[in-house]
Amino acid sequence: MHEQPLTIGIETSGWSGSVALLSGAQSLGQRALDPTGRRHARTLVPEIQSLLEQAGCTPSDLDVVAVSIGPGSFTGLRVGVVCAKTLAWAANASVVAVDTYLAIATQCPADVDLVEVVGDGQRGDLYVGRYRRSDAGSWNRQGDIEIRPADEWLSQLTPDAVVAGPGLDRHAAEAARRSRVLPQDFWTPRAGSVDRLGRQQAIGGELDDLWTLEPFYLRRSSAEEKVESVQQA
């Protein structure tokens, strides 16, 4: 048994993914998932098991399972959330949903106090969230995450704006002409950020229901919309 609460973080929102383990405020390690062929479903459980074994822990030692819930890849998020719910149920642990873009914001350099995090909304759109660092050092989302046409979002950038996020893959050059684009290392959420945020939320009593927790999707998948259009035809 660990004297400090044990938190595991699961991040599968994009092409790459990771898992991390936290004892109290001390990191016990982080593992990257094999991104080849988006194999989150195949590699997630073995990496969790390996990470726990390396730390001398078992699933029953876990107190909190923190999971990145989106926005992000439909398939990746579902794999992560299902794994987190199953693990929390088996370990009799609490489950905590973490805003994926908030995890990215917390990774910003120390000189950044306001950041726009963008993700690929497909069809020429971006998902856009604004996050501000408080005087106490914690990050908070400003309003809702929005779906914005990429061209419109780019046109409204100003030189004092700071941007990050996986949605910059296609738009980094244009965004850099109009604003400060953080280096690519700051675009992707890490499980180490997810487990730290999850621990903070758990301390604050922000726990989620094991049975009703779902990934955060701003829009339905293309496959779901095609099915609906066929049904309405």
Side-chain angles (χ1 to χ4, degrees), residues 12-13 67-85 95-100 208-220 224:
T12 57
S13 67
V67 60
S68 171
I69 63 160
S73 157
F74 281 85
T75 302
L77 290 173
R78 189 157 297 280
V79 167
V81 168
V82 169
C83 179
K85 292 168 69 169
V95 65
V96 176
V98 174
D99 174 350
T100 300
D208 288 271
D209 182 77
L210 177 66
W211 305 108
T212 61
L213 176 62
E214 293 288 339
F216 174 49
Y217 300 137
L218 273 81
R219 61 173 23 145
R220 291 168 297 172
E224 289 173 325

Side-chain angles (χ1 to χ4, degrees), residues 26-55:
Q26 179 183 2
S27 173
L28 298 182
Q30 179 169 277
R31 296 286 185 87
L33 304 179
D34 183 357
T36 306
R38 304 190 72 170
R39 298 173 58 205
H40 293 339
R42 299 182 184 179
T43 61
L44 182 54
V45 172
E47 289 294 356
I48 288 174
Q49 182 178 4
S50 177
L51 184 62
L52 289 169
E53 289 176 352
Q54 181 184 23

